[in-house]
Amino acid sequence: MSATVVSIDGPSGAGKGTISRLLAGRLGWHLLDSGALYRLVAYAGLRQALAADDRAGHARLAQSLDSHFGARADGSELILLDGIDVTQGIRSEASGMGASRVAAWAEIRAALLARQRAFARPPGLVADGRDMGTIVFPAAALKIFLVATPEERALRRYNQLKGKDSGVSLAALSREIAARDRQDATRPVAPLVPAGDAVVIDSTGLTVAEVVERVWHLGGERGLWQE
Ligand code: C5P
């Protein structure tokens, strides 16, 4: 069954996850954190000690991924892989780099496509990723491409990971995020580019509430919801 989709794409640390979660919560819609799926594939590969360049092995993992996206009693997110809580483990910058590596392989992207599209159920879906508006949901009713300066994105990621990912430093994060963006933007399959009909929002210097308001207003203008 098809449902209204709002796609929120953009580079790492632009605030897609936060904005998507708040918007989905406000609308009572479903949420797809597509990056988490790529992170889970990379994480599962590490756990099974697959060679980093084993494309067929990772593709098998992607096809049979036993993942669960839920919430704890306090409302915080809970992600299970084979029934095991990996919510924190997949958030490290190392997992992000692993995800970016497997995400460049066409067979992994193909294996995850139907799983992602299945999230589009009534009353609607907010989909967060890199290719939501270009490949996974090309008919999305509203496409946002969220950007921010590299400095601001590194700082936001740093504040997010501090305390969760021990040993994280701002300088190292800046380098890793830049490398991951380069890898995501230059890969031949599903590169990180805005859809032709996406609205680009630069969130540099804006508060989370201000970005949510902009998206809210755009959806209201298009009649997707009542402002
Ligand atoms: O969004 P997040 O940082 O969790 O994504 C991790 C990695 O997964 C990205 O750097 C990107 O390489 C990949 N990804 C992707 N397509 C998506 C979402 C994430 O290629 N739709």
Side-chain angles (χ1 to χ4, degrees):
M1 200 189 304
S2 71
T4 306
V5 175
V6 173
S7 61
I8 305 194
D9 291 305
S12 318
K16 303 182 301 289
T18 308
I19 303 301
S20 299
R21 192 164 17 82
L22 287 171
L23 185 65
R26 188 159 167 183
L27 290 163
W29 287 11
H30 300 284
L31 175 68
L32 166 60
D33 173 1
S34 61
L37 290 173
Y38 291 95
R39 286 171 183 264
L40 284 170
V41 172
Y43 196 86
L46 270 181
R47 230 183 31 189
Q48 295 199 5
L50 291 187
D53 61 354
D54 181 354
R55 292 171 71 137
H58 282 90
R60 269 194 300 279
L61 284 179
Q63 269 149 13
S64 60
L65 204 60
D66 174 9
S67 59
H68 171 80
F69 293 86
R72 291 176 215 279
D74 67 358
S76 62
E77 79 168 349
L78 174 67
I79 301 177
L80 304 180
L81 176 64
D82 297 325
I84 296 164
D85 182 352
V86 295
T87 319
Q88 296 278 24
I90 63 161
R91 290 295 165 210
S92 69
E93 197 45 36
S95 293
M97 279 307 271
S100 176
R101 185 171 40 76
V102 300
W105 296 336
E107 53 271 61
I108 303 289
R109 307 201 73 84
L112 294 178
L113 196 57
R115 191 183 289 259
Q116 294 176 85
R117 289 187 173 152
F119 276 78
R121 282 176 289 123
L125 173 70
V126 180
D128 156 6
R130 304 291 187 291
D131 62 342
M132 298 295 100
T134 50
I135 310 266
V136 182
F137 302 110
L142 174 61
K143 301 179 184 180
I144 304 293
F145 197 79
L146 196 58
V147 298
T149 60
E151 295 74 23
E152 179 129 349
R153 293 190 286 115
L155 193 60
R156 286 183 192 162
R157 254 295 145 75
Y158 177 72
N159 289 331
Q160 220 173 38
L161 289 178
K162 219 172 29 180
K164 290 188 198 162
D165 185 358
S166 58
V168 73
S169 85
L170 183 56
L173 254 187
S174 299
R175 281 195 301 274
E176 282 166 5
I177 286 182
R180 186 141 70 92
D181 286 349
R182 210 167 30 248
Q183 190 161 296
D184 290 347
T186 57
R187 65 187 176 205
V189 275
L192 171 68
V193 284
D197 51 351
V199 181
V200 179
I201 298 180
D202 185 348
S203 69
T204 312
L206 296 181
T207 64
V208 166
E210 284 168 335
V211 178
V212 171
E213 276 323 303
R214 285 202 190 184
V215 179
W216 190 256
H217 181 62
L218 286 165
E221 269 181 347
R222 292 178 188 209
L224 303 185
W225 50 74
Q226 210 83 47
E227 265 193 87

